[in-house]
Amino acid sequence: AAAEREFHKLLLRRAGREPVAYITGHKEFWSLDFVVTPAVLIPRPETELLVEFALERVSADRACRVLDLGTGSGCIAVAIAKHRPRAQVIAVDRSAEALAVARENASRHATSNLELRLSDWFAALDEQRFDLIVANPPYVAKNDPHLNEGDLRFEPAAALVAGGDGLSSIRSIVATAQRYLNRD
């Protein structure tokens, strides 16, 4: 009877179009199982392309420093750290709730070369330099009608919306990134 009640609760959540990933609390990304909660975006297959590009640019044979801005669940940072153990990966997010999820995922995947920090983009990085900076920042305009459709209705608006035209986060990152990139 208890299992039946629990099943019906889950069924009602899905009938309300809540994403399966939030109902189960898990989503596969880069062949790894990630914990997800409504505090983070659901990892998407398109984002795996960012990991693929990063891994092409980060040698498996030498040490380097990688920064992941707005890490959310940590899926990008964890995938890079897992596949490039000689890299030192630092991942930042301005949401303490998101960082808690990322911490759980980093622990699940034993990524000892990954450090997580609470930071609004570059704010907590002092004068550190990185060989590669990756980000999947918010890029949706404030009044975009898609925000009222599908999974986006359930995901954290702060991880999706970036000002009136959707480009404020990208502008901020582009304007600042050069100060944190190694020139070599």
Side-chain angles (χ1 to χ4, degrees):
E4 185 178 349
R5 282 191 302 275
E6 185 59 29
F7 176 76
H8 279 99
K9 283 183 198 173
L10 297 175
L11 191 60
L12 287 172
R13 288 173 65 187
R14 187 61 190 138
R17 304 286 189 227
E18 184 174 349
V20 172
Y22 288 155
I23 294 170
T24 64
H26 294 269
K27 179 71 175 167
E28 185 271 336
F29 180 86
W30 201 259
S31 300
L32 299 168
D33 180 51
F34 285 87
V35 169
V36 293
T37 73
V40 299
L41 292 179
I42 298 166
R44 290 171 170 72
E46 317 71 81
T47 307
E48 291 183 343
L49 188 59
L50 181 57
V51 174
E52 183 179 332
F53 288 155
L55 294 177
E56 287 173 2
R57 286 155 180 79
V58 174
S59 172
D61 301 328
R62 68 176 184 85
C64 69
R65 292 174 47 82
V66 177
L67 173 63
D68 177 23
L69 296 169
T71 197
S73 68
C75 63
I76 295 168
V78 168
I80 293 169
K82 190 83 174 158
H83 291 278
R84 294 296 184 265
R86 296 196 64 201
Q88 178 191 11
V89 181
I90 295 179
V92 301
D93 204 292
R94 67 180 177 190
S95 165
E97 287 179 296
L99 279 179
V101 174
R103 239 179 232 101
E104 184 173 350
N105 285 319
S107 177
R108 288 170 57 96
H109 296 292
T111 51
S112 60
N113 58 327
L114 171 59
E115 179 185 338
L116 297 160
R117 293 186 191 171
L118 185 64
S119 182
D120 188 3
W121 303 132
F122 300 94
L125 298 173
D126 302 317
E127 299 299 317
Q128 294 182 54
R129 297 275 189 171
F130 299 90
D131 300 298
L132 180 69
I133 298 173
V134 296
N136 185 18
Y139 57 86
V140 180
K142 181 179 179 182
N143 295 318
D144 189 308
H146 295 96
L147 293 169
N148 299 316
E149 299 173 2
D151 291 355
L152 298 183
R153 295 174 300 141
F154 294 89
E155 294 184 292
L160 293 167
V161 178
D165 66 356
L167 299 175
S168 64
S169 294
I170 293 170
R171 281 188 201 99
S172 176
I173 291 168
V174 169
T176 310
Q178 288 297 325
R179 287 186 272 167
Y180 293 89
L181 275 170
N182 285 325
R183 305 255 182 237
D184 300 335

